[in-house]
Amino acid sequence: TPALAEKLGLGRPALPEEIKAWTVEVFPDGKNLPEGSGSVEDGDQLFADNCAACHGDFAEGVDRWPKLAGGKGTLAAKDPVKTVGSYFPYLSTVWDYAHRSMPFGNAQSLTADETYAIVAYILYSNDLVADDFVLSKENFLDVKMPNADGFIVDDRPETEYAKFSEAACMTDCKKDVHITMHASVLDVTPGSDNA
Amino acid sequence: MDDKERLGNPATGAGLSRRGFLRAGAAVGAMAAGAGAARAEEQPDPLITEVQPWASGWGDGVDATPYGLPIRFEDDVIRRNVPWLTADTISSINFTPIHALDGTITPTGCAFERHHSGAIELAKEDYRLMINGLVDQPLVFTYEDLERFPRVNRTYFLECAANSGMEWAGAQLNGVQFTQGMIHNMQYSGIPLRLLLEEAGVKPEGKWVYVEGADASSNGRSIPLEKAMDDVLVAIKANGEALRKEHGYPARLVVPGWEGNMWVKWLRRVEVTDEAVQSREETSKYTDTLADGTSRKWTWVMDAKSVVTSPSPQMPIKHGKGPLVITGMAWSGRGAITKVDVSIDGGANWQEARLAEPGEDMAVSRFYLEIDWDGSEMLLQSRATDSTGYVQPTKAQLRAIRGENSVYHNNGIQTWLVKENGESENVEVSS
């Protein structure tokens, strides 16, 4: 990497309006949340108009589109169902992602109030708030996310690296080698007969 | 891999072009009839004894192809998708044809794609890069500004965190393109992100950067400042030319050794922050659920991994017994590949393969093992070792620690069953 003694003087100062237009991410502590509020009731209608075609009337998901509700208690099951209610650690992520990147194909079309309302409805769909709930910037952090404590920072250095850094066996490493699973039995590869 | 990409029942009747597979199969059949023409000793080979048209007439003029594509005989060496993996093709994945490639550099035209709201078209004139947050002076750069910064050239692999993710619960897809093909390896020309951050002046409170793209998905991710100031690049060229649209034209982030999701395309903003944003792509996605239901977050590094690319299910042995080149690729996000071992008996015994070139940090290495195949069945595996001493684990070793629902970061050893007829199949073997 080249070392620079001084700045090159490239670029120009970003204007406040420009910074505001693009700095819309919301942090877990609520930083950057705009003023506003929205009710479950309003969210129900907005969700029906903007979201239900893919996510279902009750946020349960249509076809292969993501389920936003349900899956409570399934994270240790054979097939976990990861939703806002069962998996998301922070409500900020739900608000931020919906506001910035949804609806799919028409992103950045929701106002702050609309986003509060839709997030309130998603919370209601997950049985996390009552049907008369109104979500606002003020009460945002009061919502308890069920899986808030469900995440650990990458622990591979402690749990895996030492184990996988032992000298590798080169000869007579196994007594019995037999096939336990064939992909062709499943036969779901594009180009194969049944895919 | 999104929830909507999770394994469900494959859609029926949604098959892609079957030509490649059928052609491969037909070739195996032809091999049984014995020998190529060059082996026939009784009769002279007309490809030699008769004047061929290409040895007599003209080929194409130099104005025929201002920017060329591969010759038509190679039209199977293409990206492929697996329709049942995702709900749509806009937030989806396709696969690099690694079975048919050699060396280490991935041709950009068939290097895999992963988008969350499609491959957008962003002209250089419309491109803006903002540096803001905990900096002395928030800045806006145009593309022309980027070109005036000192540049470096580096070759790195980009592997999707979900590469091989469909194989966590067992052997599923029958081809290395599908099981290990969410990867490409390119030479990037770019600007160290450190230089852009220093131009703005990072404040002492800065601990992270939040990076996002210009597309609707934004793909926002949090990266520790230490990594951002170390080897992260803002790339403006790949393999010598401008980035392809689908790879982030005109500028993308290069995050050596780390999961592909963090290599933000169409990069529009780098914000210095004092905490991680915990965005959708680092909470709902790109977190790895363990057997007890807790999930790892911030699993950034891609561990050492390798795979035999030929022979493999899409690359049957067509030449019968005798000399056989076993080849494949190996890579590690933690350093350079120092050694690759190959087993033909399912991991009971191993031989050290030959690295085509010395391994480079966080780049793909090519390995070869030349054997004299006696025509008997083989259980082919490869096992990578990197410069930190880490040895690629088996899938069973990984599952013993993580269970089967991690979705991401499957670097387990791949097994191909090579049959007596030269065809191969994706299998799992006892540990």
Side-chain angles (χ1 to χ4, degrees):
Chain A
T1 304
L4 289 186
E6 293 174 14
K7 293 182 181 184
L8 290 169
L10 293 169
R12 51 113 177 140
L15 300 175
E17 297 86 343
E18 295 170 334
I19 294 171
K20 187 181 174 205
W22 277 6
T23 309
V24 294
E25 82 281 2
V26 179
F27 290 77
D29 61 6
K31 191 168 78 183
N32 290 356
L33 267 177
E35 297 295 335
S37 66
S39 66
V40 171
E41 189 179 357
D42 288 346
D44 189 355
Q45 187 60 49
L46 287 162
F47 199 87
D49 294 343
N50 295 287
C51 320
C54 296
H55 295 298
D57 288 339
F58 307 100
E60 79 281 16
V62 173
D63 297 334
R64 217 172 286 265
W65 296 102
K67 302 177 197 305
L68 306 182
K72 186 179 175 184
T74 65
L75 297 182
K78 180 167 170 54
D79 293 306
V81 178
K82 300 181 183 179
T83 71
V84 168
S86 70
Y87 196 64
F88 277 57
Y90 306 108
L91 190 59
S92 57
T93 312
V94 186
W95 201 100
D96 174 39
Y97 187 71
H99 183 241
R100 185 159 26 148
S101 298
M102 288 286 138
F104 191 54
N106 188 28
Q108 304 196 65
S109 61
L110 298 173
T111 67
D113 285 342
E114 287 171 339
T115 308
Y116 278 109
I118 286 170
V119 173
Y121 180 71
I122 294 170
L123 289 171
Y124 168 73
S125 299
N126 279 284
D127 301 322
L128 296 174
V129 298
D131 60 4
D132 61 353
F133 181 71
V134 178
L135 181 67
S136 67
K137 182 183 178 185
E138 286 67 37
N139 69 2
F140 197 83
L141 294 181
D142 298 341
V143 179
K144 173 71 180 153
M145 298 298 279
N147 198 40
D149 299 324
F151 293 81
I152 57 171
V153 174
D154 185 6
D155 66 348
R156 286 176 291 174
E158 296 79 43
T159 56
E160 298 185 3
Y161 295 148
K163 187 171 298 191
F164 297 157
S165 298
E166 292 167 0
C169 175
M170 293 298 287
T171 53
D172 296 328
C173 306
K174 293 181 187 180
K175 289 279 182 286
D176 166 45
V177 178
H178 62 272
I179 293 171
T180 58
M181 196 164 189
H182 290 261
S184 62
V185 172
L186 208 56
D187 204 6
V188 290
T189 309
S192 61
D193 286 338
N194 296 332
Chain B
M1 194 156 55
D2 288 348
D3 282 343
K4 61 192 170 186
E5 299 165 48
R6 295 278 301 161
L7 304 186
N9 294 322
T12 52
L16 289 190
S17 163
R18 299 164 56 190
R19 202 163 19 152
F21 287 76
L22 295 176
R23 183 177 296 175
V28 174
M31 183 269 287
R39 289 234 179 147
E41 288 165 18
E42 300 81 10
Q43 294 183 2
D45 183 349
L47 282 168
I48 298 171
T49 58
E50 295 175 10
V51 175
Q52 300 298 313
W54 55 81
S56 170
W58 285 338
D60 293 335
V62 295
D63 60 346
T65 315
Y67 197 108
L69 289 171
I71 195 166
R72 60 192 170 92
F73 311 122
E74 298 296 317
D75 65 359
D76 292 324
V77 186
I78 54 173
R79 295 186 279 232
R80 293 178 187 275
N81 92 17
V82 177
W84 56 264
L85 277 178
T86 52
D88 67 300
T89 59
I90 304 300
S91 180
S92 193
I93 188 84
N94 63 27
F95 299 85
T96 304
I98 56 173
H99 61 288
L101 302 179
D102 207 326
T104 58
I105 295 295
T106 312
T108 48
C110 66
F112 90 101
E113 304 166 68
R114 201 295 185 233
H115 318 301
H116 291 80
S117 50
I120 61 167
E121 187 175 274
L122 179 57
K124 286 177 180 172
E125 303 81 62
D126 298 332
Y127 180 79
R128 298 291 184 273
L129 175 61
M130 183 184 291
I131 310 283
N132 71 314
L134 297 170
V135 294
D136 299 328
Q137 175 60 65
L139 293 172
V140 171
F141 298 109
T142 62
Y143 181 80
E144 289 70 25
D145 293 331
L146 292 185
E147 284 193 323
R148 298 172 66 188
F149 277 90
R151 242 170 278 167
V152 296
N153 283 202
R154 298 280 187 272
T155 300
Y156 296 118
F157 75 83
L158 182 168
E159 183 184 17
C160 180
N163 198 22
S164 311
M166 298 83 77
E167 303 286 308
W168 267 115
Q172 176 156 266
L173 285 160
N174 206 31
V176 70
Q177 179 171 15
F178 304 106
T179 51
Q180 277 87 6
M182 296 182 196
I183 188 169
H184 56 62
N185 192 67
M186 301 186 191
Q187 185 204 44
Y188 295 97
S189 305
I191 302 108
L193 180 58
R194 179 175 65 80
L195 296 186
L196 300 177
L197 289 168
E198 287 176 350
E199 200 69 12
V202 176
K203 292 183 172 175
E205 312 92 274
K207 296 287 183 285
W208 296 80
V209 294
Y210 180 66
V211 290
E212 68 176 11
D215 62 316
S217 82
S218 92
N219 198 57
R221 289 289 308 248
S222 305
I223 299 175
L225 186 65
E226 187 181 25
K227 176 73 172 177
M229 298 296 270
D230 180 14
D231 57 3
V232 174
L233 304 178
V234 175
I236 56 175
K237 297 283 167 67
N239 294 347
E241 62 179 358
L243 300 175
R244 293 294 172 100
K245 177 178 84 169
E246 62 271 30
H247 296 141
Y249 181 95
R252 81 170 309 159
L253 212 60
V254 166
V255 191
W258 288 21
E259 60 188 12
N261 178 258
M262 308 177 82
W263 296 48
V264 172
K265 297 186 285 190
W266 314 290
L267 180 72
R268 82 169 190 183
R269 196 167 64 93
V270 179
E271 180 182 359
V272 180
T273 66
D274 59 357
E275 60 180 321
V277 170
Q278 312 267 10
S279 69
R280 185 253 198 182
E281 305 292 331
E282 57 200 6
T283 54
S284 170
K285 309 300 171 190
Y286 307 98
T287 50
D288 313 358
T289 301
L290 302 170
D292 68 358
T294 60
S295 302
R296 290 172 175 164
K297 66 176 180 180
W298 300 343
T299 47
W300 299 312
V301 179
M302 303 304 291
D303 283 318
K305 185 169 175 179
S306 69
V307 70
V308 171
T309 53
S310 180
S312 67
Q314 293 159 285
M315 296 292 283
I317 302 168
K318 302 172 188 175
H319 53 57
K321 298 176 187 178
L324 169 68
V325 174
I326 297 170
T327 187
M329 48 201 282
W331 60 96
S332 172
R334 215 162 280 285
I337 292 297
T338 54
K339 181 169 172 277
V340 178
D341 302 318
V342 169
S343 172
I344 61 172
D345 58 7
N349 296 281
W350 297 85
Q351 327 177 46
E352 187 169 345
R354 181 170 59 83
L355 295 184
E357 294 178 292
E360 288 179 53
D361 283 348
M362 297 160 285
V364 166
S365 285
R366 169 65 50 180
F367 66 85
Y368 299 103
L369 180 70
E370 293 84 6
I371 69 166
D372 183 5
W373 186 44
D374 64 4
S376 60
E377 203 171 88
M378 296 187 285
L379 288 167
L380 209 47
Q381 299 184 334
S382 64
R383 182 178 68 190
T385 300
D386 73 17
S387 49
T388 70
Y390 177 98
V391 181
Q392 182 184 2
T394 64
K395 292 177 183 177
Q397 284 179 298
L398 289 174
R399 289 181 189 126
I401 295 171
R402 307 183 193 173
E404 294 184 356
N405 287 321
S406 278
V407 180
Y408 307 104
H409 292 281
N410 184 349
N411 65 318
I413 290 172
Q414 173 70 50
T415 308
W416 306 125
L417 165 63
V418 181
K419 301 170 190 171
E420 291 176 351
N421 67 3
E423 293 178 0
S424 295
E425 187 191 341
N426 176 11
V427 298
E428 296 219 3
V429 293
S430 54
S431 52

